[in-house]
Amino acid sequence: MNEKQRVESQQVVAGNLPDKKSEKDFSKYFEAVYAPPSLKDAKKRGKEEVNYHKDFHIAEEFQGLGEGKKFYIRTYGCQMNEHDTEVMAGIFLGLGYAPTDTVNDADVILLNTCAIRENAENKVFGELGHLKTLKKTRPNLLIGVCGCMSQEESVVNKILKTYNQVDMVFGTHNIHRLPNILKEAYMSKEMVLEVWSKEGDVIENLPKVRKGEIKAWVNIMYGCDKFCTYCIVPYTRGKERSRRPEDIIQEVRHLAAQGYKEVTLLGQNVNAYGKDFDDLQYGLGDLMNEISKIDIPRIRFTTSHPRDFDDRLVEVLAQGGNLLDHIHLPVQSGSSEVLKMMARKYDRKRYLELVGKIRTAMPNSSLTTDIIVGFPNETDEQFEETLSLYREVEFDTAYTYIYSPREGTPAAKMEDNIPMEVKKERLQRLNALVNETSAKKMQEYEGKIVEVLVEGESKKNPDVLAGYTDKSKLVNFRGPKSIVGKIIKVKVTKAKTWSLDGELVDETVEEAMGVN
Ligand code: SAH
Ligand code: SF4
Ligand code: F3S
């Protein structure tokens, strides 16, 4: 199917909706014309080649669409979504809109949503409730829902049925069509729905308005093919598609030239980078090696799936230079049986071996992780194995979650049989260990000198500056505003559980440059 046909088959402008009071008419209408995004279709991994487009531009018919108008985007979820928001902001500016940081004077409000857990979704539905009141006072306001929730059939159905304050719903695969969607929404004044179940091609030259001038995100790949049994991402983000190395390198070089100090390479499973190339044997290790030569002080990447973390990458990271040795390596569980049910495709032993390999090659490296508690059938003993793995590895910190069944995933077919009190108790016990370990790790910094990339005023106290170390530790200290955006030396005077207090020792640290 070409793009035009796909758009025609999947785009429905829900104009002339029948009277919503008549449920029967309404469902008949759905059956007749409405093709919702399908999780089943999204699961299919086609063999068709990914095409790379570099010809994005704002067509003449859309120019000036946003003249005199303001946009506001609220972002939920992961860095991928944050970065998509930067792209959509770029498109809005290209259309002539101005940004605003409050919903109260926005002409267009977008909620860029996350579907990872039920509570993430509930926040969005709550927000839509609030916006209904705003819409009543300002009927010309456009409200849009995009991001991962839009890729879910049940969510789209719910919005269509009960949230008629929403004017636009579009998915993660077609944000480049924002100009068309906006224009349609202005013209029809009815709900515009455009969600593609299947991912499209890779569009290279989308405009971006980056959130800051110090740190930047760079996508290296899209989608995920891992299908961990609990996870919705492979359905909402489509199959794995890697960007070509030359495009990534050019983007990072450009950021370096603009004065950015830190780049984080993004993907749901960056260790699978390059596996989809037919014509090239090239992995994340090779890419990191190339990027290490670029004159930018700090390079990070996220997220790593342990299964694809290969020796080449360990070897390249161990060269140091601008490649930071903070590795986020989600383990999810310390029990091999649970890992099997999650289809993570490694067991406790292999995970620990990988940790051993990383620590041997990089003795100062720091590891952080993600953990899910209360997966179906998880026993007390299996949960204890998670605690014992945590103690053994001594992660710097962890993001911990209660399992949340996601419709359409294999785990959702299993009985969610761990009572909520037990899930909560496990989470509390795990969090106590996370806090204790973090406090201990932070303590080790007292009296030491760390290099901090200064990001600006502390959120809590404008007289204090804040920044992050190479290991992602937040440091607060007093110093002149002129050092914002620089990497400087700070002596740690006091360790807290989640941050360090320090004193400025040297404003003129030579930045860790690329190796060439
Ligand atoms: N691609 C990343 C994870 C992205 S989602 C990886 O595999 O490492 C971020 C985290 O959310 C996951 O690591 C997992 O811990 C958590 N998560 C994902 N699905 C979940 C679910 N259904 N319930 C609870 N937590 C979940
Ligand atoms: Fe989800 Fe697993 Fe893919 Fe991570 S690797 S996004 S947890 S399916
Ligand atoms: Fe959420 Fe989608 Fe990211 S589900 S975690 S916003 S990929």
Side-chain angles (χ1 to χ4, degrees):
M1 209 186 328
N2 65 29
E3 175 167 312
K4 189 162 173 284
Q5 285 162 330
R6 176 164 37 206
V7 170
E8 278 166 2
S9 74
Q10 294 181 345
Q11 174 183 4
V12 176
V13 179
N16 307 319
L17 278 175
D19 181 359
K20 288 197 185 176
K21 281 181 220 118
S22 157
E23 257 319 302
K24 213 166 135 217
D25 282 359
F26 196 52
S27 42
K28 236 164 83 200
Y29 169 82
F30 274 133
E31 273 161 12
V33 298
Y34 170 57
S38 151
L39 289 178
K40 215 165 141 208
D41 286 350
K43 186 173 180 174
K44 293 182 194 141
R45 290 296 183 257
K47 290 242 179 311
E48 60 289 351
E49 205 181 304
V50 171
N51 294 308
Y52 295 81
H53 299 275
K54 300 193 178 188
D55 52 359
F56 179 87
H57 65 282
I58 306 254
E60 223 178 293
E61 59 172 312
F62 304 123
Q63 279 176 15
L65 191 67
E67 226 52 74
K69 299 194 183 83
K70 289 184 182 158
F71 74 94
Y72 174 91
I73 311 176
R74 180 159 296 169
T75 315
Y76 302 81
C78 65
Q79 295 97 330
M80 229 77 55
N81 254 17
E82 297 272 355
H83 193 41
D84 284 351
T85 289
E86 294 182 335
V87 171
M88 291 190 287
I91 298 177
F92 271 116
L93 289 199
L95 292 168
Y97 287 86
T100 170
D101 52 11
T102 150
V103 290
N104 294 324
D105 66 357
D107 300 282
V108 184
I109 299 172
L110 287 187
L111 304 185
N112 190 7
T113 62
C114 171
I116 203 83
R117 283 168 291 275
E118 193 185 355
N119 57 7
E121 299 202 343
N122 288 343
K123 278 189 215 154
V124 170
F125 288 122
E127 185 58 28
L128 284 177
H130 296 147
L131 292 178
K132 187 167 190 162
T133 331
L134 199 64
K135 178 99 180 178
K136 274 193 192 133
T137 58
R138 304 210 338 257
N140 289 334
L141 170 69
L142 282 189
I143 298 176
V145 176
C146 56
C148 288
M149 278 171 73
S150 308
Q151 296 292 143
E152 293 182 286
E153 294 169 59
S154 55
V155 168
V156 172
N157 284 332
K158 188 167 168 180
I159 292 175
L160 276 162
K161 282 192 181 156
T162 39
Y163 291 87
N164 52 15
Q165 66 272 38
V166 175
D167 304 281
M168 306 170 280
V169 179
F170 58 100
T172 57
H173 303 312
N174 55 337
I175 58 179
H176 60 286
R177 290 192 36 89
L178 183 56
N180 311 59
I181 294 163
L182 282 166
K183 188 164 182 200
E184 198 66 64
Y186 282 123
M187 274 168 27
S188 70
K189 292 285 179 201
E190 299 285 354
M191 193 188 293
V192 176
L193 173 72
E194 187 182 307
V195 183
W196 299 354
S197 291
K198 307 281 312 150
E199 64 287 321
D201 293 333
V202 171
I203 319 253
E204 269 306 330
N205 65 331
L206 290 168
K208 296 174 192 95
V209 178
R210 299 192 188 266
K211 217 167 152 191
E213 289 159 1
I214 302 170
K215 302 202 288 190
W217 285 305
V218 172
N219 278 123
I220 63 167
M221 60 186 299
Y222 303 96
C224 180
D225 287 346
K226 283 286 169 286
F227 289 102
C228 303
T229 54
Y230 50 82
C231 185
I232 194 77
V233 172
Y235 309 83
T236 63
R237 293 271 167 179
K239 73 172 179 185
E240 287 174 356
R241 288 103 69 210
S242 301
R243 287 179 69 199
R244 302 295 296 186
E246 57 277 15
D247 293 328
I248 298 168
I249 290 162
Q250 193 191 39
E251 187 174 346
V252 178
R253 283 215 179 105
H254 188 60
L255 290 166
Q258 288 176 290
Y260 280 88
K261 295 293 159 63
E262 182 175 307
V263 161
T264 304
L265 306 177
L266 289 183
Q268 281 300 348
N269 170 19
V270 288
N271 301 78
Y273 175 75
K275 288 192 195 299
D276 54 320
F277 294 146
D278 292 333
D279 58 335
L280 202 63
Q281 277 275 355
Y282 194 90
L284 183 62
D286 304 308
L287 181 70
M288 294 295 276
N289 193 39
E290 280 301 308
I291 291 181
S292 72
K293 296 172 190 161
I294 300 175
D295 192 3
I296 199 156
R298 290 181 169 191
I299 306 286
R300 301 180 189 275
F301 60 99
T302 199
T303 298
S304 275
H305 191 296
R307 185 175 175 220
D308 297 319
F309 208 110
D310 58 22
D311 292 352
R312 167 82 175 133
L313 180 61
V314 177
E315 174 199 312
V316 170
L317 291 178
Q319 294 167 14
N322 58 0
L323 306 182
L324 301 189
D325 56 1
H326 166 208
I327 298 166
H328 187 62
L329 195 64
V331 65
Q332 313 300 356
S333 167
S335 150
S336 294
E337 288 107 9
V338 175
L339 288 169
K340 196 161 184 200
M341 291 191 290
M342 291 175 163
R344 290 289 287 181
K345 304 206 172 76
Y346 55 84
D347 59 11
R348 178 186 174 104
K349 186 162 161 271
R350 261 203 58 199
Y351 185 88
L352 290 172
E353 276 166 13
L354 177 59
V355 168
K357 230 184 240 177
I358 293 171
R359 293 228 162 115
T360 307
M362 292 169 270
N364 292 323
S365 59
S366 70
L367 288 174
T368 52
T369 201
D370 292 350
I371 293 172
I372 297 175
V373 301
F375 190 78
N377 302 319
E378 184 190 59
T379 63
D380 280 336
E381 292 72 30
Q382 288 167 337
F383 171 65
E384 291 291 337
E385 286 186 76
T386 297
L387 296 179
S388 77
L389 179 128
Y390 200 93
R391 281 191 206 100
E392 194 170 335
V393 177
E394 288 205 313
F395 292 102
D396 276 43
T397 188
Y399 297 100
T400 56
Y401 307 104
I402 285 180
Y403 167 70
S404 168
R406 304 283 67 214
E407 197 183 324
T409 60
K413 295 196 186 82
M414 301 164 82
E415 192 192 341
D416 183 19
N417 56 359
I418 311 296
M420 192 42 98
E421 313 92 78
V422 176
K423 285 180 174 170
K424 282 190 176 156
E425 200 226 74
R426 286 182 189 165
L427 186 73
Q428 268 171 15
R429 283 185 63 202
L430 175 61
N431 284 347
L433 177 61
V434 170
N435 293 354
E436 186 193 310
T437 318
S438 171
K440 189 175 135 199
K441 292 252 165 180
M442 294 299 249
Q443 209 64 48
E444 291 166 12
Y445 283 97
E446 272 192 11
K448 295 217 170 106
I449 290 176
V450 288
E451 288 190 2
V452 177
L453 172 55
V454 189
E455 292 193 10
E457 289 170 4
S458 143
K459 282 191 192 120
K460 290 187 191 144
N461 180 354
D463 296 335
V464 168
L465 293 176
Y468 287 86
T469 69
D470 52 350
K471 310 273 192 292
S472 306
K473 307 286 183 215
L474 173 64
V475 185
N476 293 304
F477 61 99
R478 284 175 195 273
K481 299 262 157 38
S482 57
I483 59 173
V484 171
K486 289 191 177 154
I487 296 176
I488 45 93
K489 284 195 174 167
V490 173
K491 181 168 182 183
V492 178
T493 49
K494 189 170 186 309
K496 299 178 175 168
T497 309
W498 302 117
S499 65
L500 302 167
D501 287 344
E503 282 166 2
L504 181 63
V505 281
D506 190 348
E507 291 183 19
T508 53
V509 168
E510 207 179 311
E511 288 159 4
M513 292 298 183
V515 285
N516 276 5

